[in-house]
Amino acid sequence: MDYARANASIGINGTVLTNVNANSLILTPHYIEKVKALAGVFRPYGIKVYLTARFSSPIESGDLETADPLDPEVRKWWKKKAEEIYAEIPDFGGFLVKANSEGQPGPNNYGRSHVDGANMLAEAVAPHNGIVMWRAFVYSQHDPEDRAKQAYSEFVPFDGKFHDNVLVQVKNGPIDFQPREPFHPMFGAMPDTPLMMEFQITQEYLGFSSHLVYLPAMFKEVLDEDTFVNGEGSTVSKVVDGTLSNKKLTGIAGVANIGTAKNWTGHPFGQANWYGFGRLAWDPYLDSEEIAKEWLQMTFSNEEKFVEEVSEMMMASREAVVNYMTPLGLHHIMDTGHHYGPGPWIDNLGRPEWNPVYYHRADSLGVGFDRTATGSKALSQYAAPIVEKYNSVETTPEKYLLWFHHLPWDYQMGNGNTLWYNMAAKYQEGVEDVEEMVKTWNSMKEYVDDQSFEKTQMLLQIQLKEAKWWRNAVLLYFQQFSGMELPDFIPEPEHDLEYYQSLEFPYAPGISPSWH
């Protein structure tokens, strides 16, 4: 009930009770009974419940030998299952589906398209006013194409063919919830299909609940990006809220950051990300700094000095994590499995696109992923003004430089210094950003209760230690390829590269504990 009330307080009106890596058991009568009980808790707060649907459920239930979406018996099975659920939960919201992605079954298993699968489920829930949220997070180990291109390639050709009660749910960027990504090229490319934004409120790639990272600043950066599909001013927010193409079925999803901690989110400032998500979900045109100030005033203090200085700290925190993890367009260089800490050296996983070396492509000639016309051509999925601007190294924003270009280590950047020098400077800047956060927070003791102050203070020390770990490990790794000395402003690393590469975290959240 407390969770329902908290969500309702920030306008959240739906909750998916189960993980996207779905299990068919949730659709059995015993579990439907449990879902009914939870729906009864959420209902008074205006929150509908949804479930993730495992595409192979007709097989795993023991009822059928196929889950082919065009098979009449399969379609009948899903209609009957929907009737069973709605008989117990008349206001059931519908299904969220992860299909043909990371091992989850889907219509592609039967030579069918995402449209075939989504529309089958949509027909099952339509008589009950239900919806289907079909995730576009797909990439195949059998597809040699740049992972960043695959969702666009699979979905855009089917624009306008999804049923009216289907939302295609698209992550904010084309890879996977990185500290910074360009907006997903699907936004604006499917004018005849409602696209639902998927943000990650939890910090899978951004230091977990140990790091203070104010995510609404990132959410807002994405929402404000201009797709240019209908000319200047065709922002991502206008795609998502339906105004760009006159869509009435709209939504924004957030991968939750709540858990069993007494304060729900672990880090006291993690609550600001939950709060900010709710605010932006209803009004994507709000200012993220104003949202930060609202949250601070409701959570800690109305004192002007506190609100001004700490909101400034929050706004700077997102850029800080980009600087000490993945500056200048670097991405997905975290350790694998749990995504905790740096792991740019990982190259031994079964699928190429699971390895960080796939994304940074560092060698003696340079670093970065060429996605222009001379590389994977992923840039071509964006509108012409973006293609024209980003195809040239000189006009590509530095924050996306290595996302779209593979550049020599001695490439001279706009400030006259080399790429290697500027990369090192960004990592050092990230560490200094966190040092400044520590300093700011330490001066706020009089405004905050002791428990919140001390916990945040402790976590900021962890963040500072790990920012230095990121800086040292990544620069030592890339130095092997650049063959260039570390600039004088980089302190002597505490350990050598071999030490950083030897670190293991068998108990990191999100994985099954094991030592190799």
Side-chain angles (χ1 to χ4, degrees):
M1 186 176 292
D2 288 343
Y3 180 59
R5 185 166 166 242
N7 277 314
S9 74
I10 54 174
I12 290 173
N13 61 0
T15 180
V16 182
L17 300 176
T18 45
N19 192 284
V20 289
N21 296 312
N23 190 310
S24 297
L25 284 174
I26 197 66
L27 301 179
T28 59
H30 289 304
Y31 279 92
I32 292 173
E33 187 177 347
K34 294 173 184 286
V35 173
K36 179 181 179 180
L38 287 170
V41 174
F42 284 104
R43 189 175 293 113
Y45 295 92
I47 299 174
K48 286 187 176 185
V49 298
Y50 298 77
L51 291 174
T52 50
R54 184 167 170 85
F55 203 79
S56 53
S57 292
I59 301 172
E60 288 157 14
S61 67
D63 295 331
L64 299 174
E65 294 183 354
T66 181
D68 183 345
L70 297 190
D71 186 297
E73 291 302 310
V74 174
R75 300 174 83 86
K76 188 187 300 182
W77 189 94
W78 280 107
K79 285 184 178 182
K80 184 179 177 184
K81 182 57 63 178
E83 289 168 0
E84 183 183 340
I85 295 171
Y86 280 99
E88 298 297 323
I89 313 159
D91 57 351
F92 177 66
F95 294 123
L96 170 66
V97 185
K98 176 179 181 179
N100 292 117
S101 175
E102 299 182 327
Q104 287 293 307
N108 294 172
N109 294 41
Y110 304 94
R112 313 303 187 189
S113 70
H114 290 286
V115 167
D116 295 328
N119 287 350
M120 175 194 68
L121 290 175
E123 288 171 17
V125 299
H128 315 280
N129 297 315
I131 65 168
V132 171
M133 296 169 285
W134 191 273
R135 294 177 87 233
F137 180 61
V138 295
Y139 61 98
S140 170
Q141 68 192 88
H142 305 298
D143 191 338
E145 217 176 26
D146 178 0
R147 174 176 164 182
K149 296 174 65 177
Q150 291 186 33
Y152 182 104
S153 299
E154 287 196 36
F155 280 86
V156 172
F158 296 107
D159 184 31
K161 296 180 181 178
F162 290 91
H163 285 342
D164 290 344
N165 60 330
V166 175
L167 281 156
V168 175
Q169 186 168 307
V170 184
K171 290 189 178 186
N172 58 276
I175 295 295
D176 192 15
F177 299 135
Q178 296 302 293
R180 171 169 280 133
E181 298 185 48
F183 72 88
H184 203 298
M186 283 178 65
F187 289 112
M190 299 183 70
D192 296 321
T193 304
L195 298 187
M196 182 176 182
M197 173 66 76
E198 181 180 336
F199 284 130
Q200 190 176 62
I201 312 169
T202 193
Q203 296 169 221
E204 177 186 356
Y205 293 95
L206 291 91
F208 296 8
S209 57
S210 297
H211 293 210
L212 194 166
V213 185
Y214 181 57
L215 295 180
M218 179 181 76
F219 301 161
K220 186 65 174 159
E221 177 181 87
V222 175
L223 291 165
D224 286 350
E225 287 274 20
D226 200 334
T227 70
F228 289 98
V229 292
N230 287 353
E232 191 172 354
S234 305
T235 60
V236 172
S237 57
K238 289 181 181 178
V239 175
V240 175
D241 74 5
T243 56
L244 192 65
S245 301
N246 195 28
K247 295 287 177 293
K248 292 181 179 177
L249 182 61
T250 62
I252 296 184
V255 182
N257 67 340
I258 60 95
T260 56
K262 189 176 180 181
N263 71 346
W264 293 108
T265 58
H267 200 302
F269 278 76
Q271 294 179 16
N273 295 334
W274 185 7
Y275 175 80
F277 167 79
R279 296 287 279 126
L280 286 169
W282 280 105
D283 188 351
Y285 305 98
L286 290 175
D287 181 87
S288 57
E289 186 170 7
E290 288 305 310
I291 294 172
K293 290 178 179 179
E294 288 176 4
W295 180 80
L296 287 169
Q297 289 170 324
M298 291 189 287
T299 305
F300 293 121
S301 172
N302 284 308
E303 291 292 333
E304 186 177 355
K305 173 180 168 61
F306 174 82
V307 172
E308 289 298 324
E309 293 188 18
V310 179
S311 63
E312 187 177 319
M313 177 188 80
M314 291 168 69
M315 291 299 294
S317 66
R318 187 287 180 104
E319 202 63 39
V321 76
V322 171
N323 285 339
Y324 65 72
M325 285 189 184
T326 54
L328 301 175
L330 288 169
H331 52 287
H332 219 310
I333 60 171
M334 294 75 186
D335 203 354
T336 56
H338 45 67
H339 301 147
Y340 170 69
W345 44 80
I346 303 293
D347 64 358
N348 60 353
L349 300 180
R351 292 172 56 165
E353 74 282 0
W354 285 352
N355 293 285
V357 296
Y358 172 92
Y359 298 97
H360 64 68
R361 312 209 160 191
D363 54 26
S364 61
L365 301 178
V367 64
F369 199 127
D370 182 4
R371 291 190 166 100
T372 68
T374 60
S376 76
K377 300 180 175 61
L379 180 58
S380 67
Q381 295 180 338
Y382 291 90
I386 296 176
V387 174
E388 184 180 349
K389 182 177 180 181
Y390 288 31
N391 206 50
S392 167
V393 178
E394 287 74 21
T395 53
T396 299
E398 287 190 353
K399 63 183 180 180
Y400 298 135
L401 198 60
L402 301 180
W403 185 284
F404 289 107
H405 300 277
H406 187 278
L407 297 174
W409 296 104
D410 60 358
Y411 171 75
Q412 189 175 61
M413 292 178 62
N415 61 4
N417 293 315
T418 64
L419 172 63
W420 172 245
Y421 181 97
N422 279 289
M423 181 184 290
K426 283 292 183 183
Y427 276 101
Q428 179 60 21
E429 184 181 339
V431 171
E432 292 173 3
D433 289 339
V434 181
E435 288 174 338
E436 195 60 34
M437 290 164 65
V438 170
K439 182 179 176 182
T440 296
W441 187 251
N442 285 344
S443 68
M444 297 297 153
K445 183 174 175 57
E446 65 181 288
Y447 304 106
V448 184
D449 66 276
D450 290 344
Q451 187 176 17
S452 297
F453 178 80
E454 289 168 8
K455 181 162 188 174
T456 303
Q457 188 178 49
M458 173 196 72
L459 289 168
L460 281 169
Q461 287 300 324
I462 293 173
Q463 186 171 355
L464 178 58
K465 179 181 178 182
E466 295 187 354
K468 293 176 180 178
W469 167 32
W470 267 93
R471 175 197 63 196
N472 296 342
V474 176
L475 289 178
L476 284 173
Y477 172 74
F478 283 141
Q479 189 180 30
Q480 300 175 110
F481 303 102
S482 75
M484 301 167 79
E485 292 296 319
L486 290 171
D488 292 340
F489 54 77
I490 299 293
E492 183 73 23
E494 297 175 53
H495 306 282
D496 61 14
L497 178 59
E498 186 177 2
Y499 167 82
Y500 293 117
Q501 291 177 317
S502 73
L503 296 176
E504 291 187 30
F505 303 95
Y507 298 104
I511 63 169
S512 300
S514 65
W515 290 100
H516 295 301

